[in-house]
Amino acid sequence: MQAGPPPASPPPIASPQVPAPSTVKGASATMTVVARDQSLVLTKARRSESALVRHQVFLRYDVDRKVPDGADQRTVQCGWRLRAYLQRSICFSSMTGLLSCTDPVSEELPTGETGAADQGQDPALSTCDLNFAPAREARDRVIAAVRADAQARFDEDYALNVKPQMLASGVKIAKPKS
């Protein structure tokens, strides 16, 4: 059984696809925290093709200034919202070497954090942006938590979402031979 020509190089990891918050007045960033490409060989009716399951976990990071209700303008807080998302797409290499990928699917993970901290006596001296110290520390905590369980999340997503879909189409799944 021939597997055809070697698969084309996969495209670079797609930019995270997540809806933007409806009202963000401060700074925002989206960053990929960890990614994994898993190569597979799919076989059906004596024909084979290469597939690539592409997973990534990315972080949506928003920081903005807040004035608590009923407080004067000198009581400024800097608020942050961090949300982690698991994103998957599946890429296929045809026998001609052409490569195509499914649209990315993103799911919000329970890993995240929301908080606020006083900006200080003089808000002009302490900017409320992505580098605001308490928000940056929260971001680092969320990134560490995401990295700690990313491989388990990738494996779980593969087992619950990708593999059943492939098997339902009647293919046999194998790891490529090195």
Side-chain angles (χ1 to χ4, degrees), residues 47-48 83 85:
R47 296 185 71 185
S48 297
R83 294 293 173 257
Y85 296 84

Side-chain angles (χ1 to χ4, degrees), residues 155-165:
D155 292 342
E156 178 183 46
D157 185 71
Y158 175 78
L160 294 176
N161 296 307
V162 177
K163 189 174 182 179
Q165 178 184 1

Side-chain angles (χ1 to χ4, degrees), residues 4-172:
S9 296
I13 292 176
S15 297
Q17 303 293 316
V18 64
S22 56
T23 56
V24 175
K25 297 176 185 172
S28 296
T30 304
M31 61 187 76
T32 297
V33 177
V34 64
R36 174 181 84 176
D37 286 344
Q38 181 178 1
S39 297
L40 302 172
V41 175
L42 307 178
T43 306
K44 183 176 182 179
R46 292 182 288 176
R47 296 185 71 185
S48 297
E49 70 179 357
S50 297
L52 181 75
V53 179
R54 173 160 277 170
H55 280 112
Q56 69 174 325
V57 176
F58 64 90
L59 187 64
R60 174 69 191 213
Y61 180 31
D62 301 300
V63 178
D64 63 341
R65 289 183 62 187
K66 299 175 182 232
V67 178
D69 292 336
D72 67 25
Q73 291 292 330
R74 291 174 293 180
T75 311
V76 176
Q77 288 191 322
C78 187
W80 60 88
R81 178 180 162 105
L82 297 139
R83 294 293 173 257
Y85 296 84
L86 171 69
Q87 185 177 73
R88 116 183 51 81
S89 60
I90 304 170
C91 301
F92 301 93
S93 296
S94 72
M95 293 181 157
T96 62
L98 297 175
L99 184 76
S100 65
C101 298
T102 62
D103 288 333
V105 175
S106 299
E107 299 171 8
E108 186 172 346
L109 299 173
T111 309
E113 189 172 319
T114 301
D118 288 339
Q119 197 170 343
Q121 293 297 327
D122 188 354
L125 296 177
S126 175
T127 59
C128 183
D129 61 15
L130 299 175
N131 289 315
F132 181 63
R136 193 177 61 242
E137 291 164 5
R139 181 196 65 209
D140 293 344
R141 282 191 303 274
V142 171
I143 287 173
V146 164
R147 285 185 176 149
D149 72 353
Q151 294 307 316
R153 288 197 186 278
F154 294 159
D155 292 342
E156 178 183 46
D157 185 71
Y158 175 78
L160 294 176
N161 296 307
V162 177
K163 189 174 182 179
Q165 178 184 1
M166 298 286 185
L167 294 175
S169 70
V171 300
K172 292 184 180 179

